[in-house]
Amino acid sequence: MLVNSSLDEVKRRETALHYLAHLVKQDGREALFDLTGLAGGFPLSQDDIALLETYAGPALFGEDLDRWGKKHLGGEKLLALNRTSSGILAAILALVQHGQEVVHYLPEKPSHPSIPRSCQLIGASYQEYSVDEDLELGDATALLVITGSTMDHQVLSQEDFERAIQAAHQRKVPVLVDDASGARLRTVIYGQPRAMDLGADLVITSTDKLMEGPRGGLMAGKTNLIDLIKTKAHQFGLEAQPPLIAAMARALEKFNPHNLELARTRKDQLHLSLASSLVGLEKTPTGVMLTPTSLMKNMGMKTTLTPKDAAILLAMLLLKEENILTIPAVGMPGASVTIRLDLASPDAQRLSDAAIGNSLQNALEVLRATASDLEACRRVLYQ
Ligand SMILES: *Cc1c(COP(=O)(O)O)cnc(C)c1O
């Protein structure tokens, strides 16, 4: 295997960032096509930036975040965190004891790694159930985490959502919804209610996913629970700092679901034009994706590469050969390695469907030509 550990993933990410820096310095930002759906943004005005230097600024931005954040997520109180992963850790530190259990209910495995890793850190046991399995809560269950939309944008149905919340509440177990992308995908694309309106006690979203905000975690929920989590977050430095809070507030104020709605219709067209040349290409709510298993079917040759290695290599080749950015190139350790092209990304508007198809085919061609030379593969990942 070429990518064996979190350390390998950090190294791969450094390679990708190094290439990105070089590309943008040399050819400008327009040369890059970021299709991650995570493009983010930091929409501060000059006045905002001036205020960051004073004490008044952070107080003001906090109030603005409260206003726009509650509109977006509902809930009684908000908490801004450095990342969604930080918020999940803070919640588990605050609400779960060593020896207790966290149950995770999700549309499809695998889980985002932040949930099992946080449990492992405090010595809590961790159980996960996909919708195909029977959710089981026990006497030791201290928290139910529900993922509204997975890393690959598989979305939980409203019925499954409501049933899981009811099961937890019957046992007086609090419910945290990991709605990293779901806070927008579930509501805008599927017309589902916000997690808090479905009865959740807590919800967290990533302010860079499918909206033009900075990477950060925004949590909303019941005041008593948020207070406990906020205390832990401050103890361990997991909370968002004022510049992040300012950009989160402005990004939420600007949030417009129109881009998502456009992407929903365009993805059908893109899928239609690519499906004949790519075996197993699937639709996501706002784009298309090729799972590692489907990618192997398109290799058309025998290879010693694992599906995961092949997917990461393809993402790195899409970046280095075609200047198209996808998550497996820059993702954090443990992030999904599915090649997902998100048409809600602003850069997607500068690429035709045909151009996307050509780039995929070109990168795939280079992957086939490189696959049997492990040294060359290593150079793609780590140089
Ligand atoms: C992205 C994501 C996270 C983590 O977000 P970070 O910003 O990387 O901390 C957690 N859960 C799900 C389902 C996600 O998609």
Side-chain angles (χ1 to χ4, degrees), residues 83-86 88 112 114 147 149-151 178 180-181 206 208-209 215-216 332:
R83 276 176 55 188
T84 291
S85 299
S86 329
I88 288 170
H112 188 272
S114 58
T147 289
S149 160
T150 64
M151 292 183 278
D178 176 358
S181 58
S206 296
D208 65 336
K209 289 189 174 163
R215 189 171 202 149
M332 297 292 177

Side-chain angles (χ1 to χ4, degrees), residues 218-339:
L218 183 65
M219 189 182 279
K222 302 208 167 126
T223 304
N224 60 330
L225 296 176
I226 290 281
D227 284 342
L228 293 173
I229 297 167
K230 190 171 188 173
T231 307
K232 283 291 174 192
H234 286 317
Q235 284 170 351
F236 292 99
L238 302 170
E239 79 281 8
Q241 299 305 301
L244 186 56
I245 293 176
M248 282 172 148
R250 293 291 174 258
L252 284 164
E253 183 178 349
K254 273 183 52 180
F255 174 65
N256 177 349
H258 187 60
N259 240 1
L260 289 185
E261 280 152 5
L262 287 180
R264 171 175 52 180
T265 40
R266 185 179 166 191
K267 65 120 193 293
D268 291 327
Q269 215 178 290
L270 178 68
H271 185 263
L272 195 66
S273 75
L274 302 186
S276 59
S277 54
L278 282 167
V279 184
L281 186 76
E282 291 170 61
K283 291 181 192 177
T284 70
T286 54
V288 296
M289 68 176 184
L290 198 62
T291 63
T293 320
S294 299
L295 168 59
M296 295 312 269
K297 296 186 189 137
N298 289 282
M299 292 293 287
M301 57 187 282
K302 270 207 153 68
T303 168
T304 55
L305 294 176
T306 64
K308 180 180 167 189
D309 285 346
I312 296 173
L313 278 166
L314 183 63
M316 291 296 280
L317 288 168
L318 271 171
L319 175 59
K320 289 178 163 183
E321 303 285 326
E322 302 295 322
N323 295 340
I324 288 183
L325 187 62
T326 54
I327 290 173
V330 280
M332 297 292 177
S336 170
V337 295
T338 294
I339 306 287

